[in-house]
Amino acid sequence: APTTSGLFTMADEDQSAVAEAEREANVHFVPVVSLPEVSVQTHEEDEIPIFKMRAKLFRFDRENQEWKERGTGDIKFLQEKVKKSVRILMRREKTLKVCANHPVAPALKLLEHANSDRAWTYVSTDFSDGVAEGEYTEEIFAIRFANSENAQKFKTQFLEAQEINKKIAAGEEVALGVSIGEDEEQAAAAPAEAKPAADAEKPAAESAAPAAEADKAEKPAEDK
């Protein structure tokens, strides 16, 4: 008569192997070093975003007399919740490194760039390299948008921010702007892929802008 003892033995071995695999899958390894979560300061915590739009920023290299790309990303107008002053902050996409950080001083002159209806140029004291260290540069910026409509929206917000800062400097009361909110922020640009570095400290609102000389610079090179 045929025997089934061999089949039972194989079945027992299979069940034993499955049980062993399950035990190995449930093994919990305790880390040698416990690393606590670190809160990243962006220096935007005490401000609200009142404007945000994707753009490409250039700076004029005075030494070589040519335009150099500063970065592509979201340019934002941020208003302090207490002082109500407004500054511009722009980060490069993906790396989120700051490429523009300065108050919207009333003395700044926003000029049409190279007869383009979607680009502006202006001169400003910039604090992208860090306010805490007291580092700043005087930059000629050119900022280019996807279309003329976006460029006009930026100009409108730029002039409104200048008026706000002008009233604050004169000791007048100003209202806190309306935050664009998370939904509008997400609609303005694709979500970031990295956490912002802690290098976007607020510049002093009273920083003086250099004399306007942006109209002497030539048009930045088009994208290749």
Side-chain angles (χ1 to χ4, degrees), residues 22-88:
E22 290 179 349
R23 283 195 297 271
E24 291 180 358
N26 293 327
V27 173
H28 177 67
F29 294 96
V30 178
V32 178
V33 179
S34 179
L35 299 176
E37 291 187 3
V38 178
S39 177
V40 178
Q41 293 279 327
T42 66
H43 297 285
E44 299 175 38
E45 290 78 10
D46 298 327
E47 299 168 294
I48 62 171
I50 57 177
F51 180 90
K52 180 178 179 180
M53 185 169 287
R54 182 179 171 82
K56 176 168 286 190
L57 186 69
F58 299 84
R59 61 174 288 273
F60 189 70
D61 185 336
R62 292 180 175 91
E63 182 178 352
N64 296 315
Q65 292 294 296
E66 64 180 0
W67 287 100
K68 291 187 176 181
E69 184 176 338
R70 184 85 164 182
T72 298
D74 298 325
I75 188 162
K76 296 190 287 186
F77 286 82
L78 301 175
Q79 185 176 28
E80 289 191 26
K81 296 177 182 178
V82 178
K83 295 181 180 179
K84 311 294 195 328
S85 59
V86 182
R87 66 165 171 154
I88 279 179

Side-chain angles (χ1 to χ4, degrees), residues 149-162:
E149 182 181 358
N150 287 356
Q152 288 302 318
K153 288 179 180 179
F154 173 82
K155 179 183 179 180
T156 299
Q157 188 61 58
F158 193 97
L159 297 177
E160 289 180 1
Q162 284 187 307

Side-chain angles (χ1 to χ4, degrees), residues 134-145:
E135 299 177 1
Y136 67 89
T137 56
E138 293 181 353
E139 300 288 357
I140 304 176
F141 287 129
I143 184 165
R144 187 166 64 209
F145 297 91

Side-chain angles (χ1 to χ4, degrees), residues 93-148:
E93 60 186 1
K94 295 184 180 180
T95 65
L96 299 186
K97 181 177 176 59
V98 175
C99 56
N101 178 26
H102 61 80
V104 190
L108 299 183
K109 294 183 179 180
L110 192 65
L111 305 173
E112 187 178 87
H113 184 68
N115 297 320
S116 172
D117 63 353
R118 64 188 185 101
W120 304 104
T121 187
Y122 64 94
V123 183
S124 178
T125 299
D126 184 65
F127 295 84
S128 296
D129 294 329
V131 179
E133 296 80 6
E135 299 177 1
Y136 67 89
T137 56
E138 293 181 353
E139 300 288 357
I140 304 176
F141 287 129
I143 184 165
R144 187 166 64 209
F145 297 91
N147 51 56
S148 59

